[in-house]
Amino acid sequence: MAATSVADEIFKEFKEHSISEFFRKNSQMLGYAGKVRSLTTIIHEYVTNGLDACEEAGILPDLNVELKEIGENKYSIKVSDNGPGIPQTHVGKALASVLSGTKFHRYMQQRGQQGIGAAGCTLFAKITTGKPIHVRSSTGKQAFECDITIDIKSNKPLLTNVLKIDADFRGVEITGEFGEVKYEQSDHGVLEYLRRTALSNPHCSIRLLAPDGQESIFPRSAAEMPKRPRQIKPHPLGINTNDLVEFAHKSTVSRKVSSFMIDTFSRVTQNKIDELRTAAPDVNFDKNPAELTWDEAEKIVKAIKQIKWIAPDLDSMSTIGEKQIEAAIKNILSPTFLSVVERKPRVFRGGIPFVVEAGIAYGGSAGKSSGQFVEGNILRFGNKVPLLFDSSVCAITEAVKNIDWKRYAIQKFDEEPVSVMVNVSSVYIPYSGVGKQAISQEDEIIEEIKLAVQEAGRNLQRYLHGMKSRSIQETRYKTIMRYVDQLSADLSEITGEKKEAIEVKLKALIEGKYKKLFEAPPALDESDDKGVQKVDSESDD
Ligand SMILES: Nc1ncnc2c1ncn2[C@@H]1O[C@H](COP(=O)(O)OP(=O)(O)O)[C@@H](O)[C@H]1O
Ligand SMILES: [Mg+2]
């Protein structure tokens, strides 16, 4: 009998695991860490999917979120949208197979990217309550409902109770029971998440029915759809060796490395291929892309960095828009001052385009004056999605905190009624973790955020200085007016003139000197319906 080695013994236990098995054990990587955060994560996944689907179909989104407490740390959650729906043929994979979706393979700005979100929710329902989720979906013409869960061992969807139903609605409605979650009215909770979603998606209307029965409605504040992002080809400067090898090996149409590169990437022309040939002389650009080796790809990537490229196509980005941000901030924060800045697109890591939008709101329920939200004064967004967690490692926090706020007439940033909103848009946002709650601290991104916020800050400073000098004048005016009565009496005694006459003249004199106080406040734009002041921003590039 052959002796079994120790290795044989140990490797009896050797097993392969599915991706859902991995996430079952590491659900914190998907944002399921802490009860409050887990609930926000579920809502975030469903809401972003609804928004992506509506945007793609050109539909103004109506989102409805209903939460019911059904046990200790156990909630029933219903989220519905009015989007295009999911066809019955794809519903299983879409909602119960990790890494499946319509977005991963695209180079286009959308909220979802990896095909993890929806299946992650299904998985979380299964591991915390053992229950499937219930789905109703309608394209407006055909509709069905079913229960879906995920077979963790195989990462395969399991559908039961599939039924055709009346198509008297359109979109997707998902209902599920989730454990290990908790509803809380904090700045990490669902209400705040939806409030910020409304802020960055003014074309959307959102309703929340909270577990305590309280209904919150965030009405649509802009009736136009945001500009549709275009799918673009990746820019060569954003490509690493691994990408290049993968793209090359998957390429089916091109017969040569040269034509593959022209077809696959933006800005690559025959001339650029010639330049690359010179920069990487031992790479054969005429060979079959399927045979491109790692070594050759590495040389090409190095050569790419050595030659000059036209900047990436910037049409791929969809921003919120200056007007839309203004409308949304007025709607939600009712500030007394507001300045919004949209910067020009820039690139980071040499080739990935991004755009920063920033707004500063002062007064109203901006900053902490709302009382309720402790971290309310930096509102962070990545591709219009609110980022509520991990703020300390985020590029936005880093940029905003490092601004010398005293220069903008804010003495203590954390204690004044000021909110700073920043949205970073890009085809590829470098999130600092799978939970996608913080943007990693790339130098170019931090710098650009700073410039945007400072630009808006200069308008804030002008406004606050105006306010301050006005208040000093007001105090002086009131102080002098207090003496008018006594002074008129004294003068009347000395001169023999009537006290009332002296009083009228003195008042006219003083009012003349302080006449500015009786005009509209220095910086208030009266044409504005809500009395929100807006200073036109001047760019400093
Ligand atoms: N509400 C919805 N309406 C239409 N399609 C949806 C909806 N929710 C999910 N999907 C589809 O399911 C896929 C998987 O969703 P998800 O796991 O969240 O990954 P991602 O959003 O990263 O693509 C999406 O790519 C989309 O095709
Ligand atoms: Mg998603």
Side-chain angles (χ1 to χ4, degrees), residues 258-359:
S258 54
S259 53
F260 146 73
M261 288 190 65
I262 294 171
D263 292 342
T264 313
F265 304 117
S266 68
R267 309 301 194 210
V268 182
T269 56
Q270 196 52 54
N271 281 344
K272 286 288 151 195
I273 293 289
D274 293 341
E275 284 182 49
L276 287 173
R277 281 184 204 269
T278 315
D282 41 338
V283 173
N284 177 6
F285 284 85
D286 298 321
K287 77 189 285 192
N288 187 335
E291 282 153 22
L292 187 75
T293 64
W294 181 275
D295 185 46
E296 289 165 321
E298 210 164 59
K299 285 182 179 142
I300 295 178
V301 169
K302 208 166 148 212
I304 284 172
K305 304 246 147 72
Q306 285 162 15
I307 66 178
K308 275 214 154 75
W309 294 97
I310 302 177
D313 189 344
L314 301 166
D315 258 23
S316 60
M317 274 169 305
S318 156
T319 53
I320 307 171
E322 227 172 284
K323 287 260 157 347
Q324 280 79 354
I325 293 179
E326 269 166 26
I329 290 184
K330 280 183 203 169
N331 206 5
I332 290 165
L333 298 176
S334 322
T336 50
F337 164 86
L338 175 59
S339 175
V340 177
V341 167
E342 177 172 350
R343 301 272 305 171
K344 293 201 192 81
R346 295 284 142 101
V347 297
F348 71 101
R349 287 193 204 161
I352 308 168
F354 72 102
V355 188
V356 170
E357 294 167 285

Side-chain angles (χ1 to χ4, degrees), residues 199-211:
L199 205 57
S200 55
N201 295 275
H203 66 296
C204 168
S205 90
I206 306 175
R207 171 180 174 268
L208 168 69
L209 186 62

Side-chain angles (χ1 to χ4, degrees), residues 437-492:
Q437 286 295 322
I439 298 173
S440 73
Q441 303 190 358
E442 305 269 344
D443 291 343
E444 290 106 325
I445 297 182
I446 292 183
E447 188 53 30
E448 192 55 27
I449 295 170
K450 257 188 157 168
L451 290 171
V453 176
Q454 284 168 336
E455 198 176 318
R458 282 193 284 282
N459 297 328
L460 173 66
Q461 186 233 18
R462 240 170 273 145
Y463 168 76
L464 289 177
H465 274 174
M467 294 283 286
K468 198 169 156 198
S469 71
R470 187 184 160 85
S471 117
I472 294 171
Q473 298 275 318
E474 226 168 67
T475 317
R476 281 197 194 138
Y477 169 76
K478 281 183 189 150
T479 315
I480 296 176
M481 282 307 243
R482 241 180 271 140
Y483 293 106
V484 168
D485 183 54
Q486 186 61 47
L487 190 62
S488 313
D490 292 349
L491 286 173
S492 161

